[in-house]
Amino acid sequence: MPKSTATTPEAYLDELPEDRREVVAKVRDLVQKNLPKGYKETVSFGMITWCVPLERYPNTYNKQPLGYVALAAQKNYYALYLMNVYADSEHEQLLREEYKKAGKKLDIGKSCLRFKKLDDLQMDAVAKIIASTTPEEYIARYEATRAK
């Protein structure tokens, strides 16, 4: 899918073909159900994002809300960006262990978890990781990395 011009999560979903919309909607529901209070759902950078709103934390390097999770339907795969995996090696290790236990192939970059179909996603591990970091903890981790 070319970069989305949607301005709301609903509009983002409406742009997708039915089969891709179904996958993105299910992952969106997973994120919503496990997201700690204080994050805000929006669309930025052409994907559905959950972030710390600027009203809560305006001191970001790019003056954009501090992104926590993002979800996109790319041309050949889906991408789930888990920024707390990028920021915390313990979260990355948990994800690797859970995928290994489940016998699933982990396709991940720094924070980008790629999957081609819903069955490729280790939902329980993703839910744990999303639920694991409050906005306050995430802000503290962000500030610690910026201070270096």
Side-chain angles (χ1 to χ4, degrees):
M1 175 176 146
K3 188 173 180 181
S4 173
T5 57
T7 57
T8 67
E10 292 75 17
Y12 184 92
L13 290 169
D14 288 344
E15 291 179 344
L16 298 173
E18 181 62 36
D19 59 329
R20 294 178 63 74
R21 182 181 317 127
E22 185 178 324
V23 172
V24 172
K26 285 182 180 177
V27 177
R28 179 183 177 218
D29 288 345
L30 174 77
V31 174
Q32 298 275 72
K33 287 177 185 166
N34 291 282
L35 197 68
K37 288 190 188 314
Y39 291 105
K40 177 182 176 184
E41 183 185 38
T42 187
V43 173
S44 61
F45 304 105
M47 56 190 142
I48 301 173
T49 61
W50 292 267
C51 59
V52 178
L54 286 173
E55 306 83 63
R56 169 67 181 87
Y57 188 75
N59 192 23
T60 63
Y61 77 96
N62 62 0
K63 307 300 179 213
Q64 297 295 314
L66 186 57
Y68 180 61
V69 176
L71 174 61
Q74 304 293 1
K75 182 177 179 182
N76 296 315
Y77 59 89
Y78 302 94
L80 184 62
Y81 296 85
L82 301 169
M83 294 307 295
N84 65 344
V85 168
Y86 174 69
D88 185 341
S89 61
E90 288 179 21
H91 284 106
E92 181 183 353
Q93 188 59 36
L94 170 68
L95 196 60
R96 290 186 183 284
E97 289 169 3
E98 292 293 322
Y99 266 78
K100 187 175 182 177
K101 265 196 286 191
K104 293 184 179 187
K105 181 180 182 258
L106 178 63
D107 184 1
I108 191 167
K110 295 269 185 189
S111 71
C112 178
L113 179 58
R114 293 173 290 272
F115 58 102
K116 292 193 177 201
K117 57 189 187 303
L118 201 53
D119 286 345
D120 294 340
L121 192 61
Q122 180 55 6
M123 304 280 264
D124 291 341
V126 168
K128 281 184 207 174
I129 287 170
I130 290 169
S132 69
T133 308
T134 66
E136 292 74 24
E137 293 166 331
Y138 189 57
I139 290 167
R141 192 169 293 138
Y142 173 78
E143 288 178 340
T145 63
R146 300 299 300 165
K148 292 181 181 179

